[in-house]
């Protein structure tokens, strides 16, 4: 046990989990960090103790039982515990209920290419800062890739950077959250753009909206209201 200090917040006598083998974490040795701070719910924790967010809420140190992420492509990001940074919030928040505690999972109404074509029947999406890309069921990802004419190169999906692609939209909370090709691009090699889309098997059908989504949309996680 040790003291956890995050900004001006402090948790004393807090339990850490020590990792003895990182072979299951791809490229861990080259990553610029040396630990993981989980912000999901206790039900998916391998330890029966409190999560960091649970402990912070119980400590009374937070102004509100929420945390907010600001992520951007070319500048430092920001994680606020106890509120949000209004200087990074451009509009009113769209509130969506958590439907499966463990992850921050919400009801997904549809996934659309452009303004009309629905390409998914998956009923749930997870908003997850621990995932870099947009990930979905293999069959639905394959359909999207085929429709936009992307090619597979070394396990990644690529398109010509001059391609005119429709937006990829996720509909929940009564609103369309659209991502353009520029939003989806994670790298550029010559005139080819690498897209941050991948397939994932979570044991149940779901989409994972990772950092690519969170760079476009400021996300406030409301631990109190859920």
């Amino acid at each position: 046990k040790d003291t956890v200090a995050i900004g001006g917040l402090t948790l004393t006598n807090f339990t850490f989990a020590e990792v003895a083998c990182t072979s299951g974490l791809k490229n861990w040795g080259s990553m610029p960090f040396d630990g993981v701070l989980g912000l999901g719910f206790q039900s998916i924790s391998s330890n029966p103790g409190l999560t960091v967010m649970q402990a912070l809420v119980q400590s009374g140190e937070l102004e509100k039982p929420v945390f907010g992420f600001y992520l951007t492509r070319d500048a430092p990001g920001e994680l606020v515990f106890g509120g949000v940074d209004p200087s990074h919030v451009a509009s009113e928040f769209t509130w969506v209920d958590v439907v499966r505690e463990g992850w921050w999972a919400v009801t997904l109404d549809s996934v659309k290419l452009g303004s009309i074509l629905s390409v998914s029947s998956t009923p749930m999406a997870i908003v997850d800062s621990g995932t870099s890309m947009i990930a979905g069921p293999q069959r639905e990802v394959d359909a999207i890739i085929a429709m936009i004419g992307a090619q597979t190169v070394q396990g990644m999906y690529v398109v010509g950077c001059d391609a005119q692609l429709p937006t990829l939209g996720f509909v929940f909370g009564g609103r369309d959250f659209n991502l353009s090709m520029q939003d989806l691009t994670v790298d550029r090699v010559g005139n080819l753009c690498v897209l941050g889309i991948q397939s994932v098997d979570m044991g149940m059908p779901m989409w994972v909206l990772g950092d690519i989504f969170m760079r476009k949309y400021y996300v406030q996680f409301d631990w109190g209201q859920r």
Side-chain angles (χ1 to χ4, degrees):
K1 295 188 175 183
D2 207 335
T3 297
V4 176
I6 308 173
L9 305 171
T10 303
L11 296 173
T12 59
N13 202 32
F14 193 80
T15 301
F16 280 78
E18 180 181 5
V19 178
C21 176
T22 60
S23 61
L25 300 171
K26 187 178 180 180
N27 300 322
W28 178 261
S30 63
M31 294 179 181
F33 48 81
D34 56 10
V36 175
L37 172 62
L39 291 171
F41 296 98
Q42 203 281 330
S43 58
I44 60 171
S45 173
S46 59
N47 188 301
L50 298 178
T51 66
V52 168
M53 189 60 188
Q54 274 181 301
L56 285 173
V57 171
Q58 290 188 15
S59 74
E61 292 189 69
L62 301 182
E63 182 178 342
K64 297 179 181 178
V66 305
F67 58 95
F69 269 98
Y70 170 71
L71 301 180
T72 184
R73 192 182 294 269
D74 300 314
E78 181 183 69
L79 168 59
V80 177
F81 285 100
V84 299
D85 185 343
S87 67
H88 295 311
V89 180
S91 63
E92 294 294 322
F93 284 102
T94 299
W95 296 104
V96 187
D97 291 338
V98 173
V99 294
R100 185 184 179 92
E101 286 193 13
W103 304 289
W104 291 89
V106 300
T107 297
L108 180 63
D109 297 324
S110 66
V111 181
K112 299 193 297 188
L113 268 181
S115 59
I116 299 176
L117 183 61
S118 178
V119 293
S120 175
S121 59
T122 298
M124 186 165 60
I126 299 168
V127 184
D128 182 26
S129 63
T131 300
S132 299
M133 300 191 183
I134 300 291
Q138 181 75 61
R139 181 177 178 180
E140 295 176 8
V141 170
D142 287 347
I144 291 170
I145 294 304
M147 289 177 189
I148 64 177
Q151 303 295 319
T152 304
V153 177
Q154 296 182 349
M156 302 295 290
Y157 299 117
V158 301
V159 295
C161 293
D162 57 353
Q164 300 297 312
L165 299 185
T167 58
L168 178 62
F170 296 88
V171 184
F172 52 88
R175 178 180 171 184
D176 291 15
F177 294 89
N178 294 318
L179 300 169
S180 66
M181 188 182 81
Q182 182 178 0
D183 298 325
L184 292 168
T185 297
V186 295
D187 197 7
R188 182 166 180 159
V189 182
N191 66 343
L192 293 178
C193 283
V194 180
L195 302 180
I197 304 174
Q198 63 185 27
S199 60
V200 66
D201 182 2
M202 300 284 288
M204 63 182 72
M206 64 178 65
W207 281 85
V208 183
L209 308 181
D211 296 345
I212 287 176
F213 178 85
M214 293 175 65
R215 281 201 296 265
K216 178 71 175 287
Y217 299 102
Y218 192 112
V219 181
Q220 178 179 183
F221 297 87
D222 191 328
W223 191 277
Q225 296 293 330
R226 305 187 184 183

